[in-house]
Structures are given as C-alpha cells and as structure tokens.
Amino acid sequence: MIANILTADFNITIIKFLQQFSNPFLDKLAESITMTGEQYFSIGAILVIYLCINKNLGYRLGFASLFSNSINSIVKNIFKVPRPIGTSGVRSLRLETAGGYSFPSGHTQNASVLWTNLMKNIKKRWIYILGFIMIISVALSRLYLGVHRPVDVFFGFVFGVLCMFIVNGIFDCKEIKTRICGLLILIAVSLIVTIAYGDLDLYKQFGSIVGFFIGYLIEKNFIKFNEKASVTQNMIKILIAVIGYVILELGLKAVLPNLKVFAGIRYFFIILWVTVGTTYIIKKFKLYKLN
C-alpha cells in the first residue's frame, strides 16, 4: 500500500509537467539551486554561524543537521524506493548528487533543517520569506532535475522539520542533565543506524556527531569563546578552521588505514578541531570584540 503511494503515477505526471518548461537556463538555475540543499552548503553555513554569528544557534543547526542525516538514512533503507531516473519520459540531470534510494529527498530535508532552524531562532520576517523560498526552490529543483518524486520532497520537508523541532526541544531544556541525555539519544540513534547500514557517509556522520558532542561539552565548560568579532577577525577565524580541516583531512587520510571506521575517526577529529581547537585559538588570541 505505502510502496504503491510512493511510486504512484501522479508523481511522474508532476515531474513531466515541470520538465515541459525545460531549457538550458532553467537547467543551470535548477542545478545551482539544488546545490544549496547539499551537505557542503549546510556545513559552510553552520561553520560561519557557529564561529562568527551565534554559536548557540550553530550548535542547534549542527546537531539537527547530523541527526537529520541519520533519520534520512533510516527511512531510505527501510522503504528502498528506487529513483525515477530512467523512467520513460523523465529527463534526469546532476546524477552525481542522486546516489542511493529516492524516499525521502535528502536535499529537501537538508534545506528544511537549515532554514526552519533559522526561522525558529531568528524570527525575522525576511528570514521567513527567504527560508520559505529556499525550501520550495530546492524541492522543485529536485523534481525538475528528475531525481526525486513529489512524495520524496514532501516527506523530506516533513522529516527535516521534525528533526529541527526535536533538536531545538533538547536545547530548550533548562536542565543541563536533560539536555545532555537528549543529545546522547541522538548519538545512540546515529550509532544504531551506522551499525545497521554502515556505508561510508554514515561512519563520517557518526564521527562528526560524537566530535560535535565532545566539542560542545569542552567549549561550553572550559573555553566559552566569544563569537562576536569584526569582519577581519571573522575572516581569520574561518581561515584557521579551514586550514586545520585541510591538514587533518589530508594528514589523517594519509596515515590511517583506508577503512570506514577510520573515516569516522578522521571526522571526529576534524569536528573537534572546529569546536575546540579553533575556538581555543579565538579566545587565546582575542579574535573577538573586546567591548
């Protein structure tokens, strides 16, 4: 019953309707928009927000994004819905971002986690408008590119919003022990998914969420860096984070065995560098506004 709904003909009808307007300009526009739903875009946004704008919002965004990725993997592996790629009459583009199963849309889920988080925590009209436009645009781009069905992007949005509310609910807890327990549950879910399905990206995500959790505890209790800074100071902070990332990525990749578990270890140290190493340097060298 559920499988029939997920692959029902109306999905393909909607994709074909959108693709009847295809032209080279819209192709490039859709490919550009869909990139804002990719993990690299989210990681960049979270890094800037965490180090330069609002670290508490950065924590909410980081945990929500990582938890959302685990949920997306669970659902995809439960339903195992094939993508519409290869369906008669459907033209599929940017296939390098269309690996694995179709339901739900990871791009739409990523965009929903990011923008609904910003809406909830910033509460500005322009954020509501921009966020709504970006989520809808990413969802439509996945349909236009022929790599997802309408039901995929709809539930990608639903799961993204649910993950946002779960993580924000944890951080809204005033009791520190309750908050820590909530975050440990997120880590446990990520561990279960990693063990159950165990692809390379899941190991990276698990290493990242553990590194983010340890970094959160260390920074909150011992470093307590100030993210408010001048434009020049912010540029230096980002440069420090990126240089450290490149060194750890290349260095650890060269010395550690080429196994999935070591990819998780690599990402653990990369995230720890951002949350502990970079923030320690920020505080040590006073890369923030003093008044």
Side-chain angles (χ1 to χ4, degrees), residues 155-171:
F155 280 97
F157 169 75
V158 170
F159 286 122
V161 173
L162 284 175
C163 290
M164 181 276 291
F165 276 117
I166 288 170
V167 172
N168 275 275
I170 291 171
F171 275 94

mmCIF file of all heavy atoms in Angstrom, residues 155-171:
data_model
loop_
_atom_site.group_PDB
_atom_site.id
_atom_site.type_symbol
_atom_site.label_atom_id
_atom_site.label_comp_id
_atom_site.label_asym_id
_atom_site.label_seq_id
_atom_site.Cartn_x
_atom_site.Cartn_y
_atom_site.Cartn_z
ATOM 1 N N PHE A 155 7.966 14.577 1.999
ATOM 2 C CA PHE A 155 8.368 13.949 3.255
ATOM 3 C C PHE A 155 9.784 14.345 3.659
ATOM 4 O O PHE A 155 10.126 14.282 4.843
ATOM 5 C CB PHE A 155 8.217 12.430 3.168
ATOM 6 C CG PHE A 155 6.799 11.976 3.380
ATOM 7 C CD1 PHE A 155 5.969 11.704 2.305
ATOM 8 C CD2 PHE A 155 6.283 11.868 4.666
ATOM 9 C CE1 PHE A 155 4.654 11.310 2.504
ATOM 10 C CE2 PHE A 155 4.972 11.478 4.873
ATOM 11 C CZ PHE A 155 4.148 11.202 3.797
ATOM 12 N N GLY A 156 10.607 14.751 2.709
ATOM 13 C CA GLY A 156 11.904 15.323 3.068
ATOM 14 C C GLY A 156 11.702 16.566 3.916
ATOM 15 O O GLY A 156 12.385 16.781 4.917
ATOM 16 N N PHE A 157 10.737 17.395 3.514
ATOM 17 C CA PHE A 157 10.385 18.587 4.297
ATOM 18 C C PHE A 157 9.850 18.189 5.669
ATOM 19 O O PHE A 157 10.261 18.746 6.695
ATOM 20 C CB PHE A 157 9.345 19.414 3.553
ATOM 21 C CG PHE A 157 8.735 20.512 4.369
ATOM 22 C CD1 PHE A 157 9.440 21.679 4.644
ATOM 23 C CD2 PHE A 157 7.455 20.375 4.902
ATOM 24 C CE1 PHE A 157 8.887 22.691 5.424
ATOM 25 C CE2 PHE A 157 6.887 21.376 5.673
ATOM 26 C CZ PHE A 157 7.608 22.535 5.937
ATOM 27 N N VAL A 158 8.952 17.215 5.721
ATOM 28 C CA VAL A 158 8.344 16.784 6.989
ATOM 29 C C VAL A 158 9.404 16.269 7.959
ATOM 30 O O VAL A 158 9.453 16.683 9.129
ATOM 31 C CB VAL A 158 7.277 15.687 6.739
ATOM 32 C CG1 VAL A 158 6.818 15.074 8.065
ATOM 33 C CG2 VAL A 158 6.085 16.271 5.990
ATOM 34 N N PHE A 159 10.274 15.394 7.486
ATOM 35 C CA PHE A 159 11.309 14.837 8.359
ATOM 36 C C PHE A 159 12.309 15.908 8.786
ATOM 37 O O PHE A 159 12.807 15.894 9.920
ATOM 38 C CB PHE A 159 12.037 13.682 7.668
ATOM 39 C CG PHE A 159 11.223 12.420 7.577
ATOM 40 C CD1 PHE A 159 10.950 11.835 6.355
ATOM 41 C CD2 PHE A 159 10.718 11.820 8.720
ATOM 42 C CE1 PHE A 159 10.184 10.685 6.265
ATOM 43 C CE2 PHE A 159 9.951 10.662 8.654
ATOM 44 C CZ PHE A 159 9.689 10.092 7.422
ATOM 45 N N GLY A 160 12.605 16.834 7.891
ATOM 46 C CA GLY A 160 13.520 17.921 8.246
ATOM 47 C C GLY A 160 12.964 18.785 9.357
ATOM 48 O O GLY A 160 13.669 19.138 10.311
ATOM 49 N N VAL A 161 11.682 19.135 9.260
ATOM 50 C CA VAL A 161 11.037 19.954 10.292
ATOM 51 C C VAL A 161 10.971 19.199 11.617
ATOM 52 O O VAL A 161 11.221 19.766 12.689
ATOM 53 C CB VAL A 161 9.627 20.389 9.841
ATOM 54 C CG1 VAL A 161 8.886 21.088 10.975
ATOM 55 C CG2 VAL A 161 9.716 21.322 8.628
ATOM 56 N N LEU A 162 10.649 17.900 11.559
ATOM 57 C CA LEU A 162 10.597 17.095 12.788
ATOM 58 C C LEU A 162 11.955 17.056 13.483
ATOM 59 O O LEU A 162 12.042 17.213 14.711
ATOM 60 C CB LEU A 162 10.134 15.669 12.456
ATOM 61 C CG LEU A 162 8.646 15.487 12.167
ATOM 62 C CD1 LEU A 162 8.367 14.052 11.724
ATOM 63 C CD2 LEU A 162 7.804 15.830 13.392
ATOM 64 N N CYS A 163 13.018 16.851 12.710
ATOM 65 C CA CYS A 163 14.370 16.820 13.289
ATOM 66 C C CYS A 163 14.720 18.168 13.900
ATOM 67 O O CYS A 163 15.339 18.236 14.972
ATOM 68 C CB CYS A 163 15.392 16.447 12.220
ATOM 69 S SG CYS A 163 15.276 14.721 11.666
ATOM 70 N N MET A 164 14.320 19.250 13.235
ATOM 71 C CA MET A 164 14.562 20.593 13.767
ATOM 72 C C MET A 164 13.887 20.769 15.115
ATOM 73 O O MET A 164 14.499 21.241 16.083
ATOM 74 C CB MET A 164 14.072 21.643 12.774
ATOM 75 C CG MET A 164 14.282 23.092 13.206
ATOM 76 S SD MET A 164 12.993 23.758 14.305
ATOM 77 C CE MET A 164 11.601 23.825 13.177
ATOM 78 N N PHE A 165 12.619 20.376 15.215
ATOM 79 C CA PHE A 165 11.880 20.540 16.464
ATOM 80 C C PHE A 165 12.436 19.652 17.579
ATOM 81 O O PHE A 165 12.494 20.061 18.745
ATOM 82 C CB PHE A 165 10.392 20.256 16.249
ATOM 83 C CG PHE A 165 9.619 21.429 15.737
ATOM 84 C CD1 PHE A 165 8.995 21.383 14.497
ATOM 85 C CD2 PHE A 165 9.522 22.606 16.488
ATOM 86 C CE1 PHE A 165 8.287 22.480 14.017
ATOM 87 C CE2 PHE A 165 8.819 23.706 16.011
ATOM 88 C CZ PHE A 165 8.195 23.647 14.782
ATOM 89 N N ILE A 166 12.854 18.441 17.240
ATOM 90 C CA ILE A 166 13.415 17.537 18.245
ATOM 91 C C ILE A 166 14.684 18.134 18.856
ATOM 92 O O ILE A 166 14.845 18.205 20.078
ATOM 93 C CB ILE A 166 13.714 16.155 17.633
ATOM 94 C CG1 ILE A 166 12.400 15.413 17.354
ATOM 95 C CG2 ILE A 166 14.600 15.325 18.563
ATOM 96 C CD1 ILE A 166 12.563 14.150 16.537
ATOM 97 N N VAL A 167 15.598 18.583 17.996
ATOM 98 C CA VAL A 167 16.867 19.130 18.493
ATOM 99 C C VAL A 167 16.652 20.438 19.239
ATOM 100 O O VAL A 167 17.243 20.665 20.299
ATOM 101 C CB VAL A 167 17.870 19.309 17.331
ATOM 102 C CG1 VAL A 167 19.113 20.060 17.809
ATOM 103 C CG2 VAL A 167 18.263 17.946 16.775
ATOM 104 N N ASN A 168 15.790 21.304 18.729
ATOM 105 C CA ASN A 168 15.519 22.550 19.437
ATOM 106 C C ASN A 168 14.827 22.290 20.776
ATOM 107 O O ASN A 168 15.063 22.995 21.757
ATOM 108 C CB ASN A 168 14.667 23.485 18.572
ATOM 109 C CG ASN A 168 15.507 24.306 17.609
ATOM 110 O OD1 ASN A 168 16.023 25.363 17.948
ATOM 111 N ND2 ASN A 168 15.685 23.780 16.402
ATOM 112 N N GLY A 169 13.986 21.250 20.819
ATOM 113 C CA GLY A 169 13.363 20.881 22.086
ATOM 114 C C GLY A 169 14.395 20.463 23.109
ATOM 115 O O GLY A 169 14.290 20.807 24.302
ATOM 116 N N ILE A 170 15.413 19.741 22.654
ATOM 117 C CA ILE A 170 16.500 19.325 23.556
ATOM 118 C C ILE A 170 17.254 20.546 24.079
ATOM 119 O O ILE A 170 17.523 20.671 25.277
ATOM 120 C CB ILE A 170 17.462 18.363 22.828
ATOM 121 C CG1 ILE A 170 16.763 17.021 22.560
ATOM 122 C CG2 ILE A 170 18.745 18.150 23.648
ATOM 123 C CD1 ILE A 170 17.546 16.083 21.664
ATOM 124 N N PHE A 171 17.589 21.464 23.185
ATOM 125 C CA PHE A 171 18.353 22.642 23.601
ATOM 126 C C PHE A 171 17.520 23.639 24.395
ATOM 127 O O PHE A 171 18.071 24.457 25.130
ATOM 128 C CB PHE A 171 18.983 23.325 22.382
ATOM 129 C CG PHE A 171 20.303 22.737 21.988
ATOM 130 C CD1 PHE A 171 20.368 21.738 21.027
ATOM 131 C CD2 PHE A 171 21.477 23.146 22.589
ATOM 132 C CE1 PHE A 171 21.574 21.177 20.663
ATOM 133 C CE2 PHE A 171 22.695 22.603 22.245
ATOM 134 C CZ PHE A 171 22.749 21.602 21.276
#
